[in-house]
Amino acid sequence: TNNEKYFLALTKNGKNILIDTTSLKLVNVPEALAAEVSSIHIDNADNILAIKNDQLISTKITNGQITPILENALAFTLNNNLLYVASQENNNFKIDTYLWDGTGLIPQTNLLNQPLALAQNYQLWLTYQKELFLLVDEDFYRVNQQLDLLNKGVKSVQSDKIHRQLTYQTLSEIYYYNFLSSRAELFYRTTQNIEPSLVVPNTGYGFLASSSGLTAVEVDNRNGQNHYSLVKDNNIKSLQITIDEDNLLFLDSGKLYIIAINQ
């Protein structure tokens, strides 16, 4: 979340729940936000912002009283107290920014306004360089003055501002966004069922998680990628890297593990 005190997680039955990062105790979110919400962010004042039924709503962690703050919202992301919100009326799609003051929104700038067919799923990501990316069903775009299509058939996206990385994948290909060249780079082709993977250019590696284990693959576009098996015969899920980029965290059969990366 945007709040260092809380980590957002899912229970086995698909309910949203918070983990207090100091005590590691579970903290329930208000019942209205436990399920059927498309986005959840928590600001530094313990306000929860979420989208439910195409409506941007807010509440306090300890309160539970839901306040509608914006209609026709499809996706949003939060950067400090600035919201980037995607909305759509008929075929008119737009992205606007709003200043969040803790109780309401103050309109700022219209970033995008163009025709777009209605879809079922919308997600927004903002990088450390304030670059904005949008997933509409399985079409993945970079947001400029218009929507620039990067790939179709995108199944998952992982973005991490701290590590300056954005990884996305189709059924057979894994890409990472190169922020130096401002372009998407093909990292890996596969026929296996790969879980969401992580490419961290600073380490020189991408990390592939699957039902058969965890593999490190060199970031190398010269067709000379070396492969290193880190964990074998484990069903690896939810791969993350620590802030210092020295360790990987992953889930296996409900247990959380850490493994050191030798760079």
Side-chain angles (χ1 to χ4, degrees), residues 153 155 169-175 186 188-192:
K155 301 299 183 181
Q169 62 192 78
T170 66
L171 283 176
S172 59
E173 296 174 328
I174 300 171
Y175 294 82
L186 176 63
Y188 194 72
R189 285 190 173 95
T190 180
T191 57
Q192 299 180 17

Side-chain angles (χ1 to χ4, degrees), residues 19-254:
I19 300 174
D20 187 305
T21 57
T22 301
S23 66
L24 298 184
K25 291 183 178 179
L26 299 181
V27 180
N28 289 323
V29 300
E31 185 61 29
L33 302 183
E36 298 179 353
V37 294
S38 59
S39 301
I40 290 183
H41 288 282
I42 303 173
D43 68 12
N44 289 328
D46 289 358
N47 294 298
I48 303 179
L49 299 170
I51 290 179
K52 187 168 187 175
N53 299 324
D54 294 342
Q55 188 177 62
L56 183 61
I57 57 180
S58 70
T59 185
K60 284 282 189 181
I61 292 176
T62 57
N63 186 326
Q65 181 177 347
I66 303 298
T67 302
I69 54 177
L70 190 67
E71 299 291 336
N72 299 318
L74 300 171
F76 79 102
T77 188
L78 178 64
N79 180 54
N80 295 323
N81 61 344
L82 190 66
L83 267 75
Y84 295 73
V85 183
S87 61
Q88 188 164 3
E89 294 185 42
N90 298 320
N91 285 344
N92 183 36
F93 178 82
K94 62 179 183 175
I95 296 177
D96 300 285
T97 60
Y98 296 86
L99 190 66
W100 166 246
D101 64 5
T103 58
L105 298 179
I106 303 171
Q108 298 294 297
T109 307
N110 173 252
L111 300 179
L112 180 83
N113 201 321
Q114 76 172 63
L116 186 71
L118 287 168
Q120 297 294 318
N121 177 52
Y122 301 79
Q123 295 181 65
L124 277 174
W125 292 268
L126 186 72
T127 73
Y128 78 106
Q129 290 177 323
K130 304 289 194 306
E131 292 174 298
L132 196 61
F133 293 85
L134 170 72
L135 184 65
V136 180
D137 285 344
E138 294 185 351
D139 292 343
F140 191 54
Y141 300 91
R142 182 181 174 188
V143 179
N144 289 305
Q145 293 180 334
Q146 61 184 11
L147 295 179
D148 295 334
L149 182 65
L150 294 177
N151 277 90
K152 288 182 170 290
V154 172
K155 301 299 183 181
S156 68
V157 180
Q158 286 214 156
S159 179
D160 190 329
K161 290 182 186 178
I162 293 175
H163 302 110
R164 304 182 180 185
Q165 69 87 16
L166 185 145
T167 307
Y168 63 95
Q169 62 192 78
T170 66
L171 283 176
S172 59
E173 296 174 328
I174 300 171
Y175 294 82
Y176 71 98
Y177 193 77
N178 187 329
F179 291 102
L180 295 178
S181 63
S182 297
R183 58 180 292 180
E185 305 275 4
L186 176 63
F187 169 66
Y188 194 72
R189 285 190 173 95
T190 180
T191 57
Q192 299 180 17
N193 184 18
I194 301 292
E195 290 290 336
S197 305
L198 192 65
V199 180
V200 188
N202 288 348
T203 68
Y205 294 96
F207 303 95
L208 309 182
S210 71
S211 58
S212 58
L214 176 63
T215 303
V217 179
E218 281 186 326
V219 177
D220 189 337
N221 59 7
R222 298 168 299 178
N223 296 321
Q225 292 174 307
N226 288 317
H227 293 59
Y228 303 93
S229 178
L230 303 181
V231 179
K232 291 183 177 181
D233 302 324
N234 292 62
N235 189 9
I236 308 298
K237 294 182 180 293
S238 301
L239 189 64
Q240 298 288 341
I241 193 168
T242 56
I243 291 176
D244 58 15
E245 297 182 345
D246 287 339
N247 298 277
L248 286 174
L249 296 167
F250 60 87
L251 284 176
D252 173 24
S253 303

